[in-house]
Amino acid sequence: MKVKVINGPNLNMLGIREPGIYGSSTYKDLEAFVASVCAKHGVEHEMFQSNSEGDIVTEIQQCLGRFDAIIINPAAYTHTSVAILDALKAVAIPTAEVHLSEVSEREQFRHFSYVSLYAEKVITGKGFDGYKEAIEYFVSK
Ligand code: DQA
């Protein structure tokens, strides 16, 4: 199985940004964590991060025919991006949505997710373990 892991804006700032919410581990730590979980399960993966909505849309389009599953943390674009939702629907690849924080317990504007209208699995508030749960969801599917 081949999985694409896509992360949206400001996730490259993990370890620096709002450590009370996102913790002290860095994006490099997240890359290493995802790689170790994938290796344990024999899953091939590629990881991508961008601060740009258009680049994320293009990356999703390029998954067509190349990946069996997408794991995406669209970050702030979760709550605003019809374009990311449409890209996921266009490629129709099984998708899990992950959020490090418990978005439902934060500001009202974080309660709605466009991506959740397509994602078959949504995991929130579990930190890095949310990515592990998403990988294991596709492994055991
Ligand atoms: C986030 C939650 C979003 O509301 C926020 O904009 C992020 C990160 C999370 O992982 O908890 O940047 O997606």
Side-chain angles (χ1 to χ4, degrees), residues 76-97:
Y77 291 138
T78 305
H79 319 296
T80 62
S81 183
V82 178
I84 290 174
L85 169 65
D86 283 351
L88 291 168
K89 288 167 90 169
V91 297
I93 296 170
T95 295
E97 175 183 356

Side-chain angles (χ1 to χ4, degrees), residues 8-11 17 21-22 73-79 98-103 106-107 109-110 125 131:
N10 300 304
L11 290 168
R17 75 181 290 210
I21 295 173
Y22 298 111
N73 181 347
Y77 291 138
T78 305
H79 319 296
V98 172
H99 298 283
L100 296 161
S101 66
E102 187 47 84
V103 276
R106 298 181 63 193
E107 302 96 320
F109 65 84
R110 297 185 202 275
Y131 292 82

Side-chain angles (χ1 to χ4, degrees), residues 1 20 22-23 29 47 56 65 70-71 73 77 81 99 130 134:
M1 183 173 55
Y22 298 111
D29 295 333
M47 207 155 156
I56 293 169
I70 293 174
I71 295 170
N73 181 347
Y77 291 138
S81 183
H99 298 283

